[in-house]
Amino acid sequence: MILSFRNTSAVCAVFLLVSVNSFHKSAIATINNQSQLIAQQSKTQPHPVFKSILPKLKQKTQIKILLPKFIPESDGENPIYAIIEAATQKNYEILLAFSPDCNGASACRLGVISAEAVTHKTPSLTGKRVSLAKGITGYFVDFTCGAGCSDATLTWRQQGGQYIVGLKAGDRTSLVKMANSAINP
């Protein structure tokens, strides 16, 4: 009888361990599935900084609007503003700034996002070739500094448009992440 009780206890202990282990994996899977679902939902929306300008941008331009979901330095410490500099049927340019009334001045400028329709007159892309999402090739041009620093830019073509993301004195890694977040829906 004691041997039988020990065997039953051992079986129960193994069952309990397997159940707890399975439950833990199940909970992690559920958490991960929820995280993935949230991430998938957020992929369809551009960064919140664009929320106020998106309706106007959609009214003005006919080219596909690609806005990044990732913007460096948008951790909430310093507010970032998106300001439409230009918007026509064939192009748009958005200034990213640390001030809502920034006119592109070096002190308040973070970068730029722009797009234009590609025509036969659009010059060829130049810069260092960079692999982007969906097999797209981008072209990185580093910043230069004199009295102030220019934007480092990353340019690519997609669905008849030429898109540029730029960051004042930016680095290639941040620009690639920014571009990929605009390319991936």
Side-chain angles (χ1 to χ4, degrees):
M1 183 76 171
I2 293 175
L3 187 57
S4 176
F5 179 72
R6 283 185 186 166
N7 287 344
T8 304
S9 295
V11 169
C12 286
V14 169
F15 180 76
L16 183 62
L17 287 173
V18 169
S19 297
V20 169
N21 193 28
S22 296
F23 175 77
H24 178 67
K25 287 181 182 174
S26 174
I28 290 171
T30 301
I31 291 169
N32 287 342
N33 286 341
Q34 288 174 353
S35 295
Q36 288 173 357
L37 181 59
I38 290 168
Q40 288 171 354
Q41 289 171 350
S42 67
K43 283 183 181 180
T44 61
Q45 297 297 319
H47 191 281
V49 74
F50 301 110
K51 186 177 182 177
S52 65
I53 67 165
L54 197 52
K56 184 176 181 182
L57 201 56
K58 286 179 178 179
Q59 284 179 338
K60 296 271 187 179
T61 192
Q62 292 180 352
I63 62 173
K64 183 170 178 76
I65 299 170
L66 295 180
L67 300 173
K69 290 136 203 81
F70 167 76
I71 299 175
E73 300 189 38
S74 63
D75 55 8
E77 237 178 80
N78 298 310
I80 295 177
Y81 301 89
I83 303 163
I84 297 175
E85 295 280 289
T88 69
Q89 290 182 343
K90 302 286 185 191
N91 70 25
Y92 62 84
E93 184 171 339
I94 301 165
L95 174 66
L96 296 174
F98 295 110
S99 165
D101 58 354
C102 181
N103 293 318
S106 185
C108 59
R109 177 187 181 85
L110 172 62
V112 68
I113 297 164
S114 67
E116 67 178 310
V118 176
T119 68
H120 66 281
K121 293 180 181 181
T122 306
S124 298
L125 298 177
T126 59
K128 184 176 180 178
R129 292 172 64 103
V130 176
S131 294
L132 299 174
K134 295 186 177 181
I136 295 171
T137 299
Y139 295 85
F140 172 76
V141 176
D142 210 352
F143 67 93
T144 58
C145 289
C149 292
S150 66
D151 288 355
T153 60
L154 184 59
T155 307
W156 74 95
R157 291 186 178 167
Q158 182 178 356
Q159 297 176 334
Q162 179 169 296
Y163 297 89
I164 300 172
V165 291
L167 293 171
K168 183 174 114 180
D171 63 277
R172 188 176 82 179
T173 302
S174 295
L175 286 167
V176 167
K177 188 173 179 181
M178 200 171 164
N180 283 339
S181 75
I183 293 167
N184 283 322

